[in-house]
Amino acid sequence: MSILWEKSETWRWLVRRTRDSKPFFLAFATLCGVVPGVIGYGVMQLTNSRNPQLEARLRENARPESLMMGKVNQDRLAEYLGELQRKEDTNDRYVAALRGETLTRTPYQRIQPVPKQNAEKKSNSNEKA
């Protein structure tokens, strides 16, 4: 910043005006926030295509991993929304996540602990020996 302060008269003028005038500061801050937002919104609207043919072509050319992840995410979302619709208690998801556990899909065994790394290292060292 010292290079700007020492060399640029415009920068010094801008700093003085924002320091001395609160309305100018607010106008400048608003301008710095609104203009990039409007430009970004315009770019997103121009580049966002709702062309069904393009979407169909992209889905045909999708990699198998992408398709699988899309299906998994769709299934998880459907399960979670179903639980919310049935007004089931979903706090156990958060409790399990805090304890480093994951939830299974079986209703009778909802919580399954994540295997410990020490156990994995021991099994790997036993296999090598």
Side-chain angles (χ1 to χ4, degrees):
M1 286 297 182
S2 68
I3 293 173
L4 288 175
W5 179 256
E6 294 168 1
K7 302 290 182 192
S8 173
E9 184 62 35
T10 306
W11 177 256
R12 283 192 252 160
W13 176 83
L14 185 63
V15 169
R16 272 194 312 271
R17 287 292 308 256
T18 55
R19 182 187 61 205
D20 298 338
S21 170
K22 188 171 186 174
F24 183 82
F25 171 75
L26 293 174
F28 181 71
T30 302
L31 185 73
C32 287
V34 170
V35 170
V38 169
I39 291 172
Y41 180 77
V43 168
M44 286 190 292
Q45 293 303 314
L46 289 173
T47 58
N48 186 14
S49 172
R50 285 290 174 192
N51 184 350
Q53 296 160 342
L54 176 62
E55 287 186 19
R57 193 181 84 219
L58 290 173
R59 290 185 196 285
E60 286 174 7
N61 296 338
R63 296 184 315 203
E65 305 90 43
S66 301
L67 296 174
M68 180 184 68
M69 286 305 299
K71 174 120 178 64
V72 166
N73 287 335
Q74 187 176 14
D75 292 345
R76 285 182 179 172
L77 181 61
E79 178 184 349
Y80 183 64
L81 292 176
E83 289 175 359
L84 288 177
Q85 223 173 18
R86 293 186 299 273
K87 297 188 182 341
E88 293 179 12
D89 182 22
T90 57
N91 284 338
D92 57 344
R93 289 182 181 277
Y94 305 110
V95 172
L98 288 173
R99 287 188 288 182
E101 300 169 340
T102 58
L103 298 177
T104 63
R105 295 198 184 279
T106 56
Y108 299 107
Q109 182 190 358
R110 284 281 307 240
I111 298 176
Q112 175 183 0
V114 174
K116 301 280 187 222
Q117 289 182 352
N118 294 339
E120 291 175 6
K121 289 179 183 176
K122 288 179 183 177
S123 65
N124 289 340
S125 63
N126 289 341
E127 292 172 2
K128 292 179 183 176

